[in-house]
């Protein structure tokens, strides 16, 4: 069941990627989506997403005391495969301002359904806090491959 859950979440993320790619918002490589203390961007994710992210990183969460996402290193995301929905839809492009919340809400609703169908308690909190608190050795296997780009 856990593997099935991971596959369903992965498929959901792939569909998010297809929708975002079709809209092709511009990434300015500003780091605003990951450098939370500087941007004051507040990234939330469900615990399911956080557990998936930790598993995707092979259970490795770099230490962070800065308040930045632990996987934000030298201006790049080191956990592209595991990043949650909020990261996948966030772009600084002003032309994406209207589309972003619509896409987020659409797939966030799907995430809620995924929780319901797997009888999971829904918990939604600040990603950077949840990552630090998530126990290692998560229920998911480690998705294969790594990507490292913003
Ligand atoms: S998971 Fe990656 S994209 Fe998301 S906040 Fe962290 S470094 Fe940025």
């Amino acid at each position: 069941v856990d593997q099935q859950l991971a596959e369903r979440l992965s498929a959901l993320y792939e569909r998010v990627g297809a929708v975002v790619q079709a809209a092709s918002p511009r990434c300015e490589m500003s780091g605003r989506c990951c450098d939370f203390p500087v941007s004051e961007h507040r990234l939330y994710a469900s615990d399911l997403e956080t557990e998936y992210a930790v598993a995707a990183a092979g259970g490795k969460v770099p230490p962070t005391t800065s308040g930045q996402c632990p996987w934000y290193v030298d201006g790049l995301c080191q956990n592209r495969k595991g990043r949650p929905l909020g990261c996948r839809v966030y772009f600084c492009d002003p032309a994406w301002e209207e589309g972003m919340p619509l896409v987020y809400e659409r797939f966030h609703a799907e995430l809620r359904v995924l929780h319901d169908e797997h009888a999971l308690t829904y918990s939604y909190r600040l990603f950077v806090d949840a990552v630090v608190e998530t126990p290692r050795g998560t229920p998911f296997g480690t998705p294969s491959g790594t990507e490292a780009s913003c």
Side-chain angles (χ1 to χ4, degrees), residues 8-25 49 80 83-91 96 99-100 102-111 114:
R8 288 191 68 190
L9 184 54
S10 174
L12 187 153
Y13 284 156
E14 274 184 32
R15 285 186 289 109
V16 173
V19 168
V20 170
Q21 193 175 20
S24 58
E49 288 190 281
R80 294 263 301 168
R83 71 200 195 286
L85 174 62
C87 307
R88 293 169 193 264
V89 303
Y90 188 99
F91 288 80
W96 181 237
M100 181 160 53
L102 298 177
V103 173
Y104 187 87
E105 288 306 321
R106 170 182 159 190
F107 286 103
H108 184 244
E110 285 199 31
L111 270 175
L114 197 58

Side-chain angles (χ1 to χ4, degrees), residues 53-104:
V54 171
K60 297 188 185 95
V61 179
T64 179
T65 52
S66 64
Q68 290 179 334
C69 179
W71 292 300
Y72 182 60
V73 179
D74 296 333
L76 296 174
C77 173
Q78 301 295 326
N79 191 10
R80 294 263 301 168
K81 274 215 180 293
R83 71 200 195 286
L85 174 62
C87 307
R88 293 169 193 264
V89 303
Y90 188 99
F91 288 80
C92 303
D93 187 346
W96 181 237
E97 250 174 50
E98 282 185 25
M100 181 160 53
L102 298 177
V103 173
Y104 187 87

